[in-house]
Amino acid sequence: MAAMSAPDALVTVVGLDAAGAPPHPALASALAGAGLLVGAARHLAAVPVPADAETVVLGPLAPALRRLVDAAAAGVPAVVLASGDPGLFGIVRRLRAAGLPLRVVPAVSSVAAAFARAGLSWDGAAVVTAHGRDLRPALNACRALPLVAVLTAPGAGAAEVGAALVGWPRRLLVAEHLGTDAERVREVTPDQAAEAAWSDPHVLLSIAVPADPLLDMPTSDPVGAGAMRVDNQPAAAPAGGWALPEDRYAHRDSMITKSEVRALVVARLRPRLGRLVWDIGAGSGSVGIECASLGAAVLAVERDPGSAATIRDNAAAHAVDVRIVVGCAPAVLDGLPEPDAVFVGGGGVDVLTAVLARRPERIVLTLAALDRVAPAVGLLRAAGYTVEGSQLSAARLAALPGGSIRLAATNPVVVLTGERP
């Protein structure tokens, strides 16, 4: 960062309280000595602007940054007005990147104000933004985690988030115009959010609603404290690890991806917060559940209703949120949100063809029958994917009479990974 030696050339960044409280006392003294004020029109209108101070109304940020850099170099104190806490997905990052010497006076952030208005604690919440960036990572965080705050933007707000969350058991709290006379906080379902008109700016809270396993419907009670991670890291790696032994999952007739294979499959899928993984032919759901435990949003596709119930029980036992879609692939894949990565644990050429048509970044398959390997590789390469493959053949320690041990072989499996360039 460039050094600015003039002590009076500081840029004071002041947050105006999203909860509607009076400005911080430091604002008055900062304004009194300021030669330059920068802020949105609504912020500049909310403070007494000194008669001799130049003002720059924020639109595109680059011209304002240039003017602030010039003022600092000339020893002219400046004040930047922002909403709430300007260090939370705010202007502080860009000002620091420009080499400006900063003093930051934060106020209550819009996120904190929204949770306060809702009467909710938010120590376990994830905070994401859709402002000026791709909406999909924010959506997938809402799909994966029980409590998420989304800083929205025009075209990436409650309507768009609601439409994308249809099918996930969520309730949405939308806080509009926080701290103003027009403030309004509404609780809606994803469907209702998608159909409503919303004013900017607004903050959205996505809250998981536990499902009633008997009715397969959301209950009216919001997510409770018991559903939150006790380590206060909503997207951290699970404390108990992954590639867990098969006996950590309920499964039928050993129809489960073995832990050695699952370790490689999950590594190849690269699950993390902000990504959506499809688990097709999910069986016990072990692959999808471990992806969810690493922060990814997961859709488990399973044709057998009994297996779908097992996936639901396994997901609950591992305290992760997995959306289950019951139906036969490839037909059931139509209309599902676009995946970042897909695990094909069941299905034939028609399923792989349908997955390729969606163009995910990565596709991982496990194949026990060797005669299916070459056709799968051919389809992946024809679609422009680079392909890696390996056969996994593990042997596990097993007891023999008299205290001896032997190696018991598991069935060999071919793992194929297709990556889109």
mmCIF file of all heavy atoms in Angstrom, residues 291-346:
data_model
loop_
_atom_site.group_PDB
_atom_site.id
_atom_site.type_symbol
_atom_site.label_atom_id
_atom_site.label_comp_id
_atom_site.label_asym_id
_atom_site.label_seq_id
_atom_site.Cartn_x
_atom_site.Cartn_y
_atom_site.Cartn_z
ATOM 1 N N CYS A 291 -20.449 -34.186 0.783
ATOM 2 C CA CYS A 291 -20.285 -32.910 0.084
ATOM 3 C C CYS A 291 -20.974 -31.786 0.858
ATOM 4 O O CYS A 291 -20.440 -30.679 0.984
ATOM 5 C CB CYS A 291 -20.854 -33.004 -1.329
ATOM 6 S SG CYS A 291 -19.866 -34.004 -2.473
ATOM 7 N N ALA A 292 -22.172 -32.074 1.390
ATOM 8 C CA ALA A 292 -22.895 -31.070 2.171
ATOM 9 C C ALA A 292 -22.142 -30.718 3.446
ATOM 10 O O ALA A 292 -22.129 -29.563 3.881
ATOM 11 C CB ALA A 292 -24.300 -31.574 2.505
ATOM 12 N N SER A 293 -21.482 -31.703 4.059
ATOM 13 C CA SER A 293 -20.736 -31.434 5.287
ATOM 14 C C SER A 293 -19.534 -30.539 5.027
ATOM 15 O O SER A 293 -18.999 -29.919 5.948
ATOM 16 C CB SER A 293 -20.278 -32.744 5.933
ATOM 17 O OG SER A 293 -19.210 -33.341 5.212
ATOM 18 N N LEU A 294 -19.108 -30.434 3.769
ATOM 19 C CA LEU A 294 -18.001 -29.557 3.389
ATOM 20 C C LEU A 294 -18.491 -28.217 2.845
ATOM 21 O O LEU A 294 -17.714 -27.445 2.299
ATOM 22 C CB LEU A 294 -17.119 -30.261 2.358
ATOM 23 C CG LEU A 294 -16.334 -31.449 2.924
ATOM 24 C CD1 LEU A 294 -15.779 -32.323 1.807
ATOM 25 C CD2 LEU A 294 -15.206 -30.976 3.828
ATOM 26 N N GLY A 295 -19.804 -27.947 2.987
ATOM 27 C CA GLY A 295 -20.329 -26.624 2.672
ATOM 28 C C GLY A 295 -21.088 -26.512 1.385
ATOM 29 O O GLY A 295 -21.675 -25.460 1.104
ATOM 30 N N ALA A 296 -21.112 -27.538 0.527
ATOM 31 C CA ALA A 296 -21.798 -27.451 -0.752
ATOM 32 C C ALA A 296 -23.300 -27.610 -0.569
ATOM 33 O O ALA A 296 -23.770 -28.264 0.370
ATOM 34 C CB ALA A 296 -21.282 -28.516 -1.713
ATOM 35 N N ALA A 297 -24.062 -27.024 -1.476
ATOM 36 C CA ALA A 297 -25.481 -27.345 -1.600
ATOM 37 C C ALA A 297 -25.589 -28.653 -2.382
ATOM 38 O O ALA A 297 -24.824 -28.886 -3.320
ATOM 39 C CB ALA A 297 -26.217 -26.227 -2.325
ATOM 40 N N VAL A 298 -26.535 -29.501 -2.015
ATOM 41 C CA VAL A 298 -26.609 -30.840 -2.604
ATOM 42 C C VAL A 298 -28.037 -31.180 -2.981
ATOM 43 O O VAL A 298 -28.974 -30.962 -2.205
ATOM 44 C CB VAL A 298 -26.066 -31.906 -1.619
ATOM 45 C CG1 VAL A 298 -26.254 -33.311 -2.189
ATOM 46 C CG2 VAL A 298 -24.591 -31.660 -1.326
ATOM 47 N N LEU A 299 -28.181 -31.718 -4.185
ATOM 48 C CA LEU A 299 -29.424 -32.325 -4.654
ATOM 49 C C LEU A 299 -29.174 -33.815 -4.817
ATOM 50 O O LEU A 299 -28.317 -34.226 -5.615
ATOM 51 C CB LEU A 299 -29.842 -31.740 -6.000
ATOM 52 C CG LEU A 299 -30.683 -30.470 -5.994
ATOM 53 C CD1 LEU A 299 -30.779 -29.897 -7.402
ATOM 54 C CD2 LEU A 299 -32.065 -30.769 -5.454
ATOM 55 N N ALA A 300 -29.881 -34.639 -4.053
ATOM 56 C CA ALA A 300 -29.760 -36.084 -4.165
ATOM 57 C C ALA A 300 -30.929 -36.609 -4.983
ATOM 58 O O ALA A 300 -32.088 -36.398 -4.625
ATOM 59 C CB ALA A 300 -29.745 -36.726 -2.784
ATOM 60 N N VAL A 301 -30.624 -37.270 -6.093
ATOM 61 C CA VAL A 301 -31.648 -37.803 -6.988
ATOM 62 C C VAL A 301 -31.705 -39.316 -6.799
ATOM 63 O O VAL A 301 -30.696 -40.005 -6.969
ATOM 64 C CB VAL A 301 -31.341 -37.453 -8.457
ATOM 65 C CG1 VAL A 301 -32.381 -38.056 -9.389
ATOM 66 C CG2 VAL A 301 -31.268 -35.932 -8.631
ATOM 67 N N GLU A 302 -32.870 -39.824 -6.455
ATOM 68 C CA GLU A 302 -33.028 -41.246 -6.171
ATOM 69 C C GLU A 302 -34.418 -41.701 -6.625
ATOM 70 O O GLU A 302 -35.413 -41.059 -6.315
ATOM 71 C CB GLU A 302 -32.844 -41.504 -4.673
ATOM 72 C CG GLU A 302 -33.089 -42.923 -4.218
ATOM 73 C CD GLU A 302 -32.267 -43.953 -4.977
ATOM 74 O OE1 GLU A 302 -31.030 -43.777 -5.069
ATOM 75 O OE2 GLU A 302 -32.865 -44.918 -5.495
ATOM 76 N N ARG A 303 -34.450 -42.802 -7.379
ATOM 77 C CA ARG A 303 -35.736 -43.259 -7.914
ATOM 78 C C ARG A 303 -36.561 -44.056 -6.916
ATOM 79 O O ARG A 303 -37.784 -44.131 -7.039
ATOM 80 C CB ARG A 303 -35.499 -44.099 -9.168
ATOM 81 C CG ARG A 303 -34.771 -45.411 -8.921
ATOM 82 C CD ARG A 303 -34.542 -46.158 -10.219
ATOM 83 N NE ARG A 303 -33.850 -47.434 -9.999
ATOM 84 C CZ ARG A 303 -33.527 -48.275 -10.975
ATOM 85 N NH1 ARG A 303 -33.811 -47.964 -12.234
ATOM 86 N NH2 ARG A 303 -32.907 -49.410 -10.694
ATOM 87 N N ASP A 304 -35.907 -44.658 -5.914
ATOM 88 C CA ASP A 304 -36.603 -45.535 -4.971
ATOM 89 C C ASP A 304 -37.055 -44.748 -3.746
ATOM 90 O O ASP A 304 -36.213 -44.194 -3.020
ATOM 91 C CB ASP A 304 -35.672 -46.669 -4.541
ATOM 92 C CG ASP A 304 -36.325 -47.565 -3.495
ATOM 93 O OD1 ASP A 304 -37.428 -48.068 -3.766
ATOM 94 O OD2 ASP A 304 -35.728 -47.733 -2.406
ATOM 95 N N PRO A 305 -38.369 -44.677 -3.479
ATOM 96 C CA PRO A 305 -38.831 -43.910 -2.309
ATOM 97 C C PRO A 305 -38.255 -44.411 -0.995
ATOM 98 O O PRO A 305 -37.994 -43.620 -0.081
ATOM 99 C CB PRO A 305 -40.358 -44.086 -2.359
ATOM 100 C CG PRO A 305 -40.666 -44.399 -3.794
ATOM 101 C CD PRO A 305 -39.493 -45.205 -4.285
ATOM 102 N N GLY A 306 -38.056 -45.730 -0.874
ATOM 103 C CA GLY A 306 -37.468 -46.258 0.354
ATOM 104 C C GLY A 306 -36.054 -45.758 0.562
ATOM 105 O O GLY A 306 -35.662 -45.390 1.686
ATOM 106 N N SER A 307 -35.268 -45.741 -0.512
ATOM 107 C CA SER A 307 -33.906 -45.215 -0.405
ATOM 108 C C SER A 307 -33.920 -43.716 -0.126
ATOM 109 O O SER A 307 -33.057 -43.203 0.605
ATOM 110 C CB SER A 307 -33.130 -45.508 -1.689
ATOM 111 O OG SER A 307 -32.940 -46.897 -1.860
ATOM 112 N N ALA A 308 -34.894 -43.010 -0.696
ATOM 113 C CA ALA A 308 -34.998 -41.572 -0.429
ATOM 114 C C ALA A 308 -35.236 -41.318 1.054
ATOM 115 O O ALA A 308 -34.673 -40.378 1.640
ATOM 116 C CB ALA A 308 -36.125 -40.962 -1.259
ATOM 117 N N ALA A 309 -36.062 -42.171 1.693
ATOM 118 C CA ALA A 309 -36.280 -42.029 3.131
ATOM 119 C C ALA A 309 -34.992 -42.297 3.909
ATOM 120 O O ALA A 309 -34.703 -41.629 4.910
ATOM 121 C CB ALA A 309 -37.382 -42.983 3.578
ATOM 122 N N THR A 310 -34.197 -43.253 3.434
ATOM 123 C CA THR A 310 -32.911 -43.534 4.083
ATOM 124 C C THR A 310 -31.970 -42.346 3.959
ATOM 125 O O THR A 310 -31.263 -41.997 4.912
ATOM 126 C CB THR A 310 -32.270 -44.789 3.457
ATOM 127 O OG1 THR A 310 -33.131 -45.903 3.650
ATOM 128 C CG2 THR A 310 -30.911 -45.077 4.078
ATOM 129 N N ILE A 311 -31.936 -41.724 2.778
ATOM 130 C CA ILE A 311 -31.092 -40.537 2.591
ATOM 131 C C ILE A 311 -31.519 -39.443 3.565
ATOM 132 O O ILE A 311 -30.673 -38.787 4.199
ATOM 133 C CB ILE A 311 -31.189 -40.025 1.141
ATOM 134 C CG1 ILE A 311 -30.645 -41.062 0.167
ATOM 135 C CG2 ILE A 311 -30.441 -38.696 0.983
ATOM 136 C CD1 ILE A 311 -30.951 -40.744 -1.286
ATOM 137 N N ARG A 312 -32.821 -39.251 3.710
ATOM 138 C CA ARG A 312 -33.318 -38.222 4.615
ATOM 139 C C ARG A 312 -32.856 -38.504 6.043
ATOM 140 O O ARG A 312 -32.404 -37.600 6.755
ATOM 141 C CB ARG A 312 -34.842 -38.163 4.542
ATOM 142 C CG ARG A 312 -35.468 -37.057 5.389
ATOM 143 C CD ARG A 312 -36.982 -37.044 5.245
ATOM 144 N NE ARG A 312 -37.379 -36.697 3.892
ATOM 145 C CZ ARG A 312 -37.922 -37.552 3.018
ATOM 146 N NH1 ARG A 312 -38.117 -38.813 3.362
ATOM 147 N NH2 ARG A 312 -38.257 -37.142 1.814
ATOM 148 N N ASP A 313 -32.963 -39.762 6.465
ATOM 149 C CA ASP A 313 -32.534 -40.117 7.825
ATOM 150 C C ASP A 313 -31.027 -39.933 7.990
ATOM 151 O O ASP A 313 -30.560 -39.446 9.029
ATOM 152 C CB ASP A 313 -32.921 -41.569 8.123
ATOM 153 C CG ASP A 313 -34.426 -41.773 8.235
ATOM 154 O OD1 ASP A 313 -35.150 -40.773 8.400
ATOM 155 O OD2 ASP A 313 -34.870 -42.936 8.133
ATOM 156 N N ASN A 314 -30.257 -40.333 6.972
ATOM 157 C CA ASN A 314 -28.799 -40.178 7.068
ATOM 158 C C ASN A 314 -28.403 -38.710 7.119
ATOM 159 O O ASN A 314 -27.494 -38.327 7.875
ATOM 160 C CB ASN A 314 -28.126 -40.870 5.884
ATOM 161 C CG ASN A 314 -28.049 -42.377 6.046
ATOM 162 O OD1 ASN A 314 -27.985 -42.890 7.163
ATOM 163 N ND2 ASN A 314 -28.052 -43.102 4.934
ATOM 164 N N ALA A 315 -29.061 -37.883 6.307
ATOM 165 C CA ALA A 315 -28.743 -36.452 6.324
ATOM 166 C C ALA A 315 -29.043 -35.850 7.689
ATOM 167 O O ALA A 315 -28.260 -35.055 8.223
ATOM 168 C CB ALA A 315 -29.524 -35.729 5.231
ATOM 169 N N ALA A 316 -30.171 -36.248 8.275
ATOM 170 C CA ALA A 316 -30.511 -35.739 9.607
ATOM 171 C C ALA A 316 -29.496 -36.210 10.648
ATOM 172 O O ALA A 316 -29.098 -35.442 11.533
ATOM 173 C CB ALA A 316 -31.916 -36.194 9.987
ATOM 174 N N ALA A 317 -29.053 -37.455 10.528
ATOM 175 C CA ALA A 317 -28.087 -37.981 11.486
ATOM 176 C C ALA A 317 -26.759 -37.248 11.413
ATOM 177 O O ALA A 317 -26.045 -37.132 12.417
ATOM 178 C CB ALA A 317 -27.877 -39.479 11.242
ATOM 179 N N HIS A 318 -26.407 -36.743 10.231
ATOM 180 C CA HIS A 318 -25.145 -36.018 10.053
ATOM 181 C C HIS A 318 -25.343 -34.508 10.067
ATOM 182 O O HIS A 318 -24.394 -33.758 9.776
ATOM 183 C CB HIS A 318 -24.476 -36.467 8.750
ATOM 184 C CG HIS A 318 -23.949 -37.869 8.818
ATOM 185 N ND1 HIS A 318 -22.690 -38.168 9.270
ATOM 186 C CD2 HIS A 318 -24.527 -39.061 8.522
ATOM 187 C CE1 HIS A 318 -22.502 -39.478 9.235
ATOM 188 N NE2 HIS A 318 -23.608 -40.042 8.782
ATOM 189 N N ALA A 319 -26.576 -34.059 10.395
ATOM 190 C CA ALA A 319 -26.871 -32.633 10.590
ATOM 191 C C ALA A 319 -26.524 -31.784 9.376
ATOM 192 O O ALA A 319 -25.921 -30.713 9.497
ATOM 193 C CB ALA A 319 -26.157 -32.106 11.836
ATOM 194 N N VAL A 320 -26.881 -32.279 8.173
ATOM 195 C CA VAL A 320 -26.693 -31.494 6.957
ATOM 196 C C VAL A 320 -28.026 -31.402 6.217
ATOM 197 O O VAL A 320 -28.935 -32.199 6.451
ATOM 198 C CB VAL A 320 -25.617 -32.090 6.015
ATOM 199 C CG1 VAL A 320 -24.258 -32.053 6.682
ATOM 200 C CG2 VAL A 320 -25.973 -33.501 5.582
ATOM 201 N N ASP A 321 -28.102 -30.440 5.335
ATOM 202 C CA ASP A 321 -29.321 -30.198 4.566
ATOM 203 C C ASP A 321 -29.102 -30.691 3.146
ATOM 204 O O ASP A 321 -28.281 -30.144 2.405
ATOM 205 C CB ASP A 321 -29.629 -28.701 4.572
ATOM 206 C CG ASP A 321 -31.001 -28.388 3.999
ATOM 207 O OD1 ASP A 321 -31.705 -29.335 3.608
ATOM 208 O OD2 ASP A 321 -31.361 -27.202 3.936
ATOM 209 N N VAL A 322 -29.806 -31.743 2.777
ATOM 210 C CA VAL A 322 -29.740 -32.292 1.428
ATOM 211 C C VAL A 322 -31.148 -32.288 0.851
ATOM 212 O O VAL A 322 -32.078 -32.829 1.462
ATOM 213 C CB VAL A 322 -29.179 -33.733 1.434
ATOM 214 C CG1 VAL A 322 -29.305 -34.373 0.056
ATOM 215 C CG2 VAL A 322 -27.717 -33.728 1.876
ATOM 216 N N ARG A 323 -31.328 -31.663 -0.285
ATOM 217 C CA ARG A 323 -32.634 -31.720 -0.949
ATOM 218 C C ARG A 323 -32.728 -33.031 -1.712
ATOM 219 O O ARG A 323 -31.835 -33.370 -2.501
ATOM 220 C CB ARG A 323 -32.806 -30.543 -1.899
ATOM 221 C CG ARG A 323 -34.159 -30.586 -2.629
ATOM 222 C CD ARG A 323 -34.312 -29.433 -3.591
ATOM 223 N NE ARG A 323 -35.474 -29.640 -4.449
ATOM 224 C CZ ARG A 323 -35.784 -28.872 -5.487
ATOM 225 N NH1 ARG A 323 -35.020 -27.837 -5.798
ATOM 226 N NH2 ARG A 323 -36.847 -29.128 -6.228
ATOM 227 N N ILE A 324 -33.820 -33.751 -1.516
ATOM 228 C CA ILE A 324 -34.006 -35.056 -2.131
ATOM 229 C C ILE A 324 -35.063 -34.948 -3.214
ATOM 230 O O ILE A 324 -36.166 -34.438 -2.977
ATOM 231 C CB ILE A 324 -34.418 -36.100 -1.076
ATOM 232 C CG1 ILE A 324 -33.365 -36.171 0.033
ATOM 233 C CG2 ILE A 324 -34.601 -37.474 -1.722
ATOM 234 C CD1 ILE A 324 -33.829 -36.902 1.275
ATOM 235 N N VAL A 325 -34.731 -35.415 -4.406
ATOM 236 C CA VAL A 325 -35.660 -35.436 -5.531
ATOM 237 C C VAL A 325 -35.912 -36.892 -5.882
ATOM 238 O O VAL A 325 -34.986 -37.615 -6.272
ATOM 239 C CB VAL A 325 -35.085 -34.671 -6.738
ATOM 240 C CG1 VAL A 325 -36.045 -34.743 -7.916
ATOM 241 C CG2 VAL A 325 -34.803 -33.219 -6.369
ATOM 242 N N VAL A 326 -37.150 -37.332 -5.731
ATOM 243 C CA VAL A 326 -37.507 -38.722 -6.005
ATOM 244 C C VAL A 326 -38.026 -38.828 -7.430
ATOM 245 O O VAL A 326 -38.978 -38.148 -7.817
ATOM 246 C CB VAL A 326 -38.566 -39.226 -5.006
ATOM 247 C CG1 VAL A 326 -38.912 -40.683 -5.290
ATOM 248 C CG2 VAL A 326 -38.065 -39.076 -3.572
ATOM 249 N N GLY A 327 -37.393 -39.672 -8.225
ATOM 250 C CA GLY A 327 -37.802 -39.863 -9.605
ATOM 251 C C GLY A 327 -36.697 -40.517 -10.403
ATOM 252 O O GLY A 327 -35.576 -40.685 -9.920
ATOM 253 N N CYS A 328 -37.019 -40.899 -11.611
ATOM 254 C CA CYS A 328 -36.082 -41.607 -12.476
ATOM 255 C C CYS A 328 -35.309 -40.626 -13.343
ATOM 256 O O CYS A 328 -35.911 -39.827 -14.072
ATOM 257 C CB CYS A 328 -36.822 -42.616 -13.353
ATOM 258 S SG CYS A 328 -37.506 -44.002 -12.433
ATOM 259 N N ALA A 329 -33.997 -40.693 -13.257
ATOM 260 C CA ALA A 329 -33.152 -39.937 -14.183
ATOM 261 C C ALA A 329 -33.119 -40.699 -15.508
ATOM 262 O O ALA A 329 -33.198 -41.922 -15.527
ATOM 263 C CB ALA A 329 -31.749 -39.784 -13.610
ATOM 264 N N PRO A 330 -33.053 -39.983 -16.657
ATOM 265 C CA PRO A 330 -32.769 -38.548 -16.749
ATOM 266 C C PRO A 330 -33.980 -37.631 -16.694
ATOM 267 O O PRO A 330 -33.828 -36.420 -16.582
ATOM 268 C CB PRO A 330 -32.079 -38.429 -18.099
ATOM 269 C CG PRO A 330 -32.704 -39.491 -18.920
ATOM 270 C CD PRO A 330 -32.947 -40.646 -17.978
ATOM 271 N N ALA A 331 -35.211 -38.173 -16.798
ATOM 272 C CA ALA A 331 -36.387 -37.310 -16.897
ATOM 273 C C ALA A 331 -36.509 -36.362 -15.720
ATOM 274 O O ALA A 331 -36.866 -35.179 -15.876
ATOM 275 C CB ALA A 331 -37.650 -38.161 -17.030
ATOM 276 N N VAL A 332 -36.202 -36.838 -14.506
ATOM 277 C CA VAL A 332 -36.395 -36.034 -13.312
ATOM 278 C C VAL A 332 -35.405 -34.881 -13.211
ATOM 279 O O VAL A 332 -35.595 -33.957 -12.414
ATOM 280 C CB VAL A 332 -36.313 -36.940 -12.058
ATOM 281 C CG1 VAL A 332 -34.867 -37.311 -11.754
ATOM 282 C CG2 VAL A 332 -36.976 -36.286 -10.863
ATOM 283 N N LEU A 333 -34.364 -34.897 -14.040
ATOM 284 C CA LEU A 333 -33.357 -33.826 -13.986
ATOM 285 C C LEU A 333 -33.858 -32.539 -14.611
ATOM 286 O O LEU A 333 -33.316 -31.458 -14.327
ATOM 287 C CB LEU A 333 -32.076 -34.270 -14.694
ATOM 288 C CG LEU A 333 -31.436 -35.579 -14.209
ATOM 289 C CD1 LEU A 333 -30.182 -35.870 -15.019
ATOM 290 C CD2 LEU A 333 -31.128 -35.523 -12.732
ATOM 291 N N ASP A 334 -34.871 -32.608 -15.456
ATOM 292 C CA ASP A 334 -35.393 -31.411 -16.114
ATOM 293 C C ASP A 334 -35.900 -30.419 -15.070
ATOM 294 O O ASP A 334 -36.637 -30.779 -14.159
ATOM 295 C CB ASP A 334 -36.533 -31.766 -17.065
ATOM 296 C CG ASP A 334 -36.061 -32.550 -18.280
ATOM 297 O OD1 ASP A 334 -34.848 -32.537 -18.541
ATOM 298 O OD2 ASP A 334 -36.904 -33.188 -18.936
ATOM 299 N N GLY A 335 -35.479 -29.176 -15.198
ATOM 300 C CA GLY A 335 -35.950 -28.128 -14.304
ATOM 301 C C GLY A 335 -35.153 -27.968 -13.031
ATOM 302 O O GLY A 335 -35.387 -27.012 -12.278
ATOM 303 N N LEU A 336 -34.223 -28.879 -12.747
ATOM 304 C CA LEU A 336 -33.399 -28.715 -11.554
ATOM 305 C C LEU A 336 -32.371 -27.604 -11.779
ATOM 306 O O LEU A 336 -31.926 -27.380 -12.907
ATOM 307 C CB LEU A 336 -32.678 -30.018 -11.213
ATOM 308 C CG LEU A 336 -33.562 -31.221 -10.847
ATOM 309 C CD1 LEU A 336 -32.694 -32.417 -10.454
ATOM 310 C CD2 LEU A 336 -34.521 -30.876 -9.726
ATOM 311 N N PRO A 337 -31.987 -26.892 -10.721
ATOM 312 C CA PRO A 337 -31.009 -25.807 -10.887
ATOM 313 C C PRO A 337 -29.669 -26.321 -11.383
ATOM 314 O O PRO A 337 -29.292 -27.466 -11.137
ATOM 315 C CB PRO A 337 -30.910 -25.198 -9.485
ATOM 316 C CG PRO A 337 -31.417 -26.248 -8.571
ATOM 317 C CD PRO A 337 -32.439 -27.026 -9.327
ATOM 318 N N GLU A 338 -28.949 -25.465 -12.075
ATOM 319 C CA GLU A 338 -27.716 -25.860 -12.741
ATOM 320 C C GLU A 338 -26.641 -26.284 -11.734
ATOM 321 O O GLU A 338 -26.345 -25.550 -10.785
ATOM 322 C CB GLU A 338 -27.178 -24.718 -13.597
ATOM 323 C CG GLU A 338 -28.140 -24.261 -14.677
ATOM 324 C CD GLU A 338 -28.556 -25.392 -15.604
ATOM 325 O OE1 GLU A 338 -27.718 -26.257 -15.918
ATOM 326 O OE2 GLU A 338 -29.734 -25.418 -16.009
ATOM 327 N N PRO A 339 -26.032 -27.452 -11.919
ATOM 328 C CA PRO A 339 -25.009 -27.916 -10.985
ATOM 329 C C PRO A 339 -23.621 -27.406 -11.341
ATOM 330 O O PRO A 339 -23.323 -27.110 -12.500
ATOM 331 C CB PRO A 339 -25.073 -29.435 -11.158
ATOM 332 C CG PRO A 339 -25.404 -29.603 -12.620
ATOM 333 C CD PRO A 339 -26.328 -28.455 -12.972
ATOM 334 N N ASP A 340 -22.764 -27.333 -10.346
ATOM 335 C CA ASP A 340 -21.347 -27.089 -10.576
ATOM 336 C C ASP A 340 -20.593 -28.396 -10.765
ATOM 337 O O ASP A 340 -19.598 -28.447 -11.487
ATOM 338 C CB ASP A 340 -20.755 -26.312 -9.401
ATOM 339 C CG ASP A 340 -21.376 -24.940 -9.254
ATOM 340 O OD1 ASP A 340 -21.130 -24.089 -10.120
ATOM 341 O OD2 ASP A 340 -22.115 -24.729 -8.278
ATOM 342 N N ALA A 341 -21.045 -29.444 -10.076
ATOM 343 C CA ALA A 341 -20.422 -30.759 -10.171
ATOM 344 C C ALA A 341 -21.500 -31.818 -10.019
ATOM 345 O O ALA A 341 -22.502 -31.602 -9.326
ATOM 346 C CB ALA A 341 -19.349 -30.940 -9.097
ATOM 347 N N VAL A 342 -21.295 -32.961 -10.684
ATOM 348 C CA VAL A 342 -22.294 -34.035 -10.668
ATOM 349 C C VAL A 342 -21.592 -35.355 -10.389
ATOM 350 O O VAL A 342 -20.580 -35.678 -11.030
ATOM 351 C CB VAL A 342 -23.054 -34.125 -12.011
ATOM 352 C CG1 VAL A 342 -24.047 -35.291 -11.978
ATOM 353 C CG2 VAL A 342 -23.773 -32.823 -12.312
ATOM 354 N N PHE A 343 -22.147 -36.120 -9.449
ATOM 355 C CA PHE A 343 -21.714 -37.490 -9.218
ATOM 356 C C PHE A 343 -22.775 -38.418 -9.779
ATOM 357 O O PHE A 343 -23.944 -38.348 -9.392
ATOM 358 C CB PHE A 343 -21.517 -37.765 -7.732
ATOM 359 C CG PHE A 343 -21.235 -39.216 -7.425
ATOM 360 C CD1 PHE A 343 -20.154 -39.863 -8.008
ATOM 361 C CD2 PHE A 343 -22.038 -39.935 -6.563
ATOM 362 C CE1 PHE A 343 -19.882 -41.201 -7.742
ATOM 363 C CE2 PHE A 343 -21.781 -41.267 -6.269
ATOM 364 C CZ PHE A 343 -20.704 -41.904 -6.868
ATOM 365 N N VAL A 344 -22.378 -39.268 -10.708
ATOM 366 C CA VAL A 344 -23.288 -40.246 -11.302
ATOM 367 C C VAL A 344 -22.938 -41.598 -10.687
ATOM 368 O O VAL A 344 -21.989 -42.263 -11.109
ATOM 369 C CB VAL A 344 -23.182 -40.278 -12.831
ATOM 370 C CG1 VAL A 344 -24.185 -41.273 -13.402
ATOM 371 C CG2 VAL A 344 -23.425 -38.889 -13.411
ATOM 372 N N GLY A 345 -23.696 -41.974 -9.687
ATOM 373 C CA GLY A 345 -23.478 -43.255 -9.045
ATOM 374 C C GLY A 345 -24.411 -44.330 -9.542
ATOM 375 O O GLY A 345 -24.282 -45.493 -9.176
ATOM 376 N N GLY A 346 -25.356 -43.935 -10.368
ATOM 377 C CA GLY A 346 -26.295 -44.890 -10.934
ATOM 378 C C GLY A 346 -26.892 -44.345 -12.208
ATOM 379 O O GLY A 346 -27.026 -43.131 -12.380
#
